[in-house]
């Protein structure tokens, strides 16, 4: 299986003709990852309101946290005048905070060089940190909230801090350089990616596989479907009023681990799958935890897919890919 791309192992230039809009161009960083590859497919073939892409050129820019990678991305942007959809991120390894901040700076400078809009794929990790509760007067998290944690003791905490710091830096630099920016903060991304074989090393696919194999207890999660994230990325480019806006994109209520376990037991015929019943979320289960109404109304999206359905769609895709991989090994097929 192809390894998951980290810091923009590939970036793709898409020239997509938008019906009724006059067309738009978008540079997608991190296009080998789950969101980026699904976004590429959507733009090229199936996006409602977009015709088939008129051209696709592949350019490898390398690591966007390096001067060389950032310069290559800026050169491509300058040559094309394209919008930049920044999906690339480092999830683990040394200097994760610094690398993600540098990649964010590269994306902003590329958009400035192009004179186009930046769509910045951030994360709910930038909205709230571990143990952080919603503001009492609101009762749930909104796009006005920020991760307040300073904990860098674990890789997970470092990743969450990197998402908050990189998004803050993107907003700061975008304002300084006069770049139109839209930020999207998805929760944990599930659903069927365009190429599950390529995405089996993504965090969510690995976690779902661990749940089904019984390697980890099934967890209570906020969830969003990769197809909804892709739709929001495209709408963020084409909606003029979205400039300067920050959006949460997620099912508004957590998916209880017990419900996921019931579905996965039927899917895997494994009645012994366990779930974590000890986790206490920041708001009671069944209550609204995040506000995603603005992203649906302002970007004119269809209602977001149900979180449980999105988790199970990924589970089915992972199971099929694992069966394919087992057959390939059995018959010696590469």
């Amino acid at each position: 299986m192809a390894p998951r791309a980290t810091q923009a192992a590939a970036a793709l230039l898409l020239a997509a003709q938008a019906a009724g809009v006059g067309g738009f161009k978008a540079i997608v960083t991190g296009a080998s990852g789950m969101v980026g590859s699904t976004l590429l497919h959507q733009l090229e073939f199936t996006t409602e309101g977009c015709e088939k892409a008129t051209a696709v050129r592949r350019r490898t820019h390398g690591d966007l946290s390096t001067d060389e990678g950032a310069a290559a991305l800026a050169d491509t942007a300058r040559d094309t005048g394209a919008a930049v959809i920044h999906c690339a991120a480092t999830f683990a390894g040394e200097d994760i905070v610094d690398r993600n901040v540098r990649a964010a700076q590269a994306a902003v400078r590329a958009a400035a060089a192009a004179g186009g809009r930046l769509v910045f794929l951030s994360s709910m990790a930038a909205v709230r940190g571990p143990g952080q509760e919603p503001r009492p007067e609101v009762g749930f998290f909104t796009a006005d909230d920020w991760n307040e944690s300073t904990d860098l003791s674990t890789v997970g905490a470092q990743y969450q801090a990197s998402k908050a710091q990189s998004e803050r830096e993107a907003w700061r630099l975008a304002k300084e350089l006069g770049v139109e920016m839209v930020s999207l903060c998805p929760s944990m991304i599930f659903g069927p990616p365009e190429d599950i074989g390529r995405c089996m090393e993504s965090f969510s696919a690995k976690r779902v596989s661990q749940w089904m194999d019984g390697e980890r207890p099934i967890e209570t999660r906020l969830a969003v479907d990769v197809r909804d994230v892709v739709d929001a990325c495209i709408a963020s480019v084409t909606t003029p009023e979205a400039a300067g806006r920050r959006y949460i994109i997620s099912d508004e209520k957590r998916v209880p681990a017990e419900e996921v376990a019931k579905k996965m037991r039927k899917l895997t015929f494994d009645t012994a799958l366990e779930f974590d019943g000890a986790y206490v979320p920041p708001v009671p289960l069944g209550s609204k935890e995040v506000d995603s109404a603005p992203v649906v109304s302002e970007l004119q999206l269809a209602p977001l897919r149900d979180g449980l359905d999105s988790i199970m769609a990924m589970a089915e895709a992972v199971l099929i890919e694992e069966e394919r991989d087992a057959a390939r090994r059995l018959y010696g097929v590469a």
Side-chain angles (χ1 to χ4, degrees):
M1 299 178 187
R4 171 182 54 77
T6 56
Q7 204 67 271
L12 288 85
L13 169 65
L14 310 172
Q17 187 68 35
V21 179
F24 73 88
K25 297 178 181 178
I27 296 170
V28 179
T29 71
S32 294
M34 183 166 71
V35 174
S37 60
T38 307
L39 173 60
L40 171 62
H41 176 80
Q42 185 84 334
L43 281 170
E44 187 176 4
F45 296 111
T46 61
T47 301
E48 182 178 351
C50 291
E51 299 174 4
K52 183 174 179 179
T54 56
V56 176
R57 290 183 284 163
R58 296 177 178 266
R59 300 186 181 188
T60 300
H61 295 117
D63 189 337
L64 295 185
S65 68
T66 66
D67 292 341
E68 294 79 6
L73 182 64
D75 287 344
T76 300
R78 187 178 297 107
D79 290 345
T80 61
V84 175
I85 304 177
H86 182 54
C87 301
T90 293
F91 293 89
E94 296 182 359
D95 303 321
I96 181 174
V97 176
D98 182 64
R99 291 180 67 194
N100 279 335
V101 168
R102 287 179 176 271
Q105 292 170 335
V108 177
R109 291 194 172 102
R117 177 172 290 187
L118 170 65
V119 177
F120 190 92
L121 189 64
S122 185
S123 169
M124 270 300 298
V127 175
R128 52 98 177 94
Q132 185 173 329
E133 296 183 353
R135 288 169 289 150
E137 67 274 18
V138 179
F140 48 82
F141 293 103
T142 76
D144 293 329
D145 292 306
W146 285 89
N147 182 341
E148 300 170 351
S149 175
T150 57
D151 176 24
L152 297 177
S153 61
T154 66
V155 172
Q158 291 169 21
Y159 169 72
Q160 292 197 38
S162 79
K163 297 304 290 185
Q165 291 184 32
S166 60
E167 189 192 343
R168 284 186 183 275
E169 174 59 13
W171 281 113
R172 184 201 66 78
L173 189 58
K175 182 178 180 181
E176 177 183 312
L177 300 180
V179 171
E180 280 191 357
M181 177 170 150
V182 183
S183 171
L184 298 172
C185 299
S187 58
M188 192 165 177
I189 302 174
F190 295 94
E194 170 54 29
D195 185 349
I196 185 61
R198 182 192 296 272
C199 299
M200 283 294 285
E201 291 301 309
S202 70
F203 180 82
S204 54
K206 287 176 68 174
R207 185 55 52 89
V208 165
S209 178
Q210 291 168 339
W211 291 346
M212 290 193 293
D213 290 342
E215 296 176 10
R216 295 181 64 101
I218 296 167
E219 300 159 345
T220 294
R221 288 281 183 173
L222 279 172
V224 66
D225 196 288
V226 64
R227 293 165 291 185
D228 290 328
V229 175
V230 164
D231 287 346
C233 286
I234 295 170
S236 294
V237 175
T238 59
T239 305
E241 297 79 10
R245 297 286 283 141
R246 185 182 193 229
Y247 298 107
I248 291 174
I249 180 165
S250 174
D251 201 348
E252 294 191 328
K253 300 178 182 179
R254 279 186 182 261
V255 181
E258 186 173 6
E259 292 186 15
V260 180
K262 288 178 181 177
K263 292 274 190 178
M264 284 191 172
R265 287 167 184 160
K266 291 180 180 179
L267 180 65
T268 62
F269 302 102
D270 184 351
T271 58
L273 291 181
E274 298 181 352
F275 63 90
D276 181 3
Y279 173 73
V280 179
V283 302
L285 277 178
S287 299
K288 179 176 177 176
E289 186 171 337
V290 300
D291 182 21
S292 58
V295 76
V296 174
S297 62
E298 295 181 21
L299 297 185
Q300 300 182 21
L301 303 179
L304 301 182
R305 291 170 175 84
D306 176 75
L308 179 58
D309 291 345
S310 297
I311 292 173
M312 293 312 300
M314 171 164 274
E316 291 169 5
V318 166
L319 196 60
I320 291 170
E321 179 57 28
E322 289 178 342
E323 291 173 349
R324 287 174 178 165
D325 189 53
R328 286 193 290 264
R329 291 197 304 272
L330 178 64
Y331 295 105
V333 178

